[in-house]
Amino acid sequence: MAHYNITCSCGHTDRVDLYGKGADRERKMAWLETEPCTKCREAASKERQAKEAAEFTTQLKGSEKQVAWALDIRSNAMQSLKKACKPEVLPEVTKTVESISSAAWWIDNRDDIIRAVLKVAIANRA
């Protein structure tokens, strides 16, 4: 293991620990130089989460990591649903998305999220 100070794309310096062969470490350092630093990534993530949370009135319930992941899934699902659904059913689908407050549900159903949301919408309708 070796410690390296990497100047990231944002201009800040991150100290990283790299393992493995020299060529692998060089490749990893080159990649890290094209990415923002840890603090900038975290700030961008929190900003994105705040924006996504403001888009919906329902707050997700779960651990901090679950909520962060589920916010991304829910936001992407809503984008896909807007493209996939007819305009006349979109209000009902949006209402269904708003009704699901469990971060774990979003994570568990992430692989087929459109089908899962529509299944809940149909169940709510009955």
Side-chain angles (χ1 to χ4, degrees):
M1 173 182 75
H3 304 289
Y4 295 93
N5 290 321
I6 306 291
T7 301
C8 301
S9 64
C10 59
H12 298 120
T13 301
D14 253 354
R15 182 180 172 101
V16 296
D17 298 329
L18 298 178
Y19 304 88
K21 297 179 182 176
D24 293 338
R25 287 186 294 208
E26 293 292 327
R27 189 171 32 257
K28 179 79 173 192
M29 287 190 311
W31 175 76
L32 287 170
E33 289 173 348
T34 66
E35 296 292 311
C37 71
T38 304
K39 287 182 181 178
C40 288
R41 278 195 316 271
E42 289 173 358
S45 176
K46 287 183 181 189
E47 183 179 317
R48 187 181 72 248
Q49 289 175 14
K51 180 183 171 195
E52 290 169 355
E55 183 179 342
F56 300 97
T57 57
T58 304
Q59 297 297 315
L60 295 177
K61 296 177 180 93
S63 72
E64 186 177 330
K65 286 184 177 183
Q66 284 178 321
V67 169
W69 190 10
L71 282 171
D72 286 339
I73 295 168
R74 181 172 71 172
S75 181
N76 292 336
M78 199 61 217
Q79 300 278 335
S80 297
L81 286 162
K82 285 178 181 178
K83 292 177 187 174
C85 293
K86 294 181 179 179
E88 57 269 14
V89 298
L90 196 55
E92 187 173 346
V93 171
T94 302
K95 182 179 174 184
T96 301
V97 168
E98 287 284 347
S99 73
I100 303 168
S101 63
S102 168
W105 185 92
W106 289 100
I107 295 167
D108 292 343
N109 291 288
R110 70 186 178 275
D111 293 329
D112 198 6
I113 196 69
I114 292 176
R115 181 173 292 172
V117 169
L118 295 177
K119 188 175 179 180
V120 171
I122 290 169
N124 289 345
R125 198 175 225 202

